[in-house]
Amino acid sequence: MPILDILRFPDPRLNKVARPVTVVDSRIKALVADMLETMYDAEGIGLAATQIDVHERVIVIDVSEERDRPLVLINPELEWSSSERVKGDEGCLSVPGIYDGVERAASIRVSALDGDGHTRTIEAEGLLAVCVQHEMDHLMGKVFVEYLSPLKRNRIKTKLLKQQKEARG
Ligand code: QAP
Ligand code: CO
């Protein structure tokens, strides 16, 4: 199964809002399989469909050490978030080489469909909670660098555009 191309910031397609999935059919299952393969290949802990230019509400995550605990969230809805906040460094497969601090809810409860189309509710804290919030932002067209100051964001934009230009030769 193919490894998919990941859009790079500041690609405007990263700002598109994803539509809900209507049925978890073979097309969505194939999308999930490709996204997992792409995430593992890129050594990421999370990937949203938006990042591969598919604008449907699908997320894959694996925060396990052994990289053997895939989590699939389709049509995720935030049911609850703690008022307690935590600030930690984040990165993103769409913003390679850049890590900076973002404040997030410390714990969350999210309901979603899993890869078989069954509804489930997950409660998360720590890295998983941060990762779910980061990936849900992608589905709303938001990249983590938008939480940084305009100065930092512009520096990141310039740096990545230069890298992308050089990579194209
Ligand atoms: C989102 O990000 C996340 O710059 C997932 O060169 C990250 O998987 C949530 C990656 C941190 C919470 C904390 C980034 C790989 C992977 C890079 C990722 C890179 C190679 C980022
Ligand atoms: Co990301």
Side-chain angles (χ1 to χ4, degrees), residues 46-48 51 90-95 134-135 138 142-144:
L47 183 70
Q51 293 176 273
E90 292 184 18
C92 180
L93 290 170
S94 294
V95 194
H134 174 115
E135 302 309 333
H138 275 303
K142 189 158 187 170
V143 180
F144 86 96

Side-chain angles (χ1 to χ4, degrees), residues 113-134:
L113 302 178
D114 65 16
D116 295 318
H118 300 305
T119 303
R120 48 180 293 189
T121 301
I122 62 156
E123 300 206 9
E125 56 180 22
L127 180 60
L128 179 59
V130 172
C131 196
V132 170
Q133 291 172 80
H134 174 115

Side-chain angles (χ1 to χ4, degrees), residues 139-151:
L139 300 180
M140 298 304 296
K142 189 158 187 170
V143 180
F144 86 96
V145 296
E146 289 171 45
Y147 292 108
L148 308 177
S149 69
L151 177 65

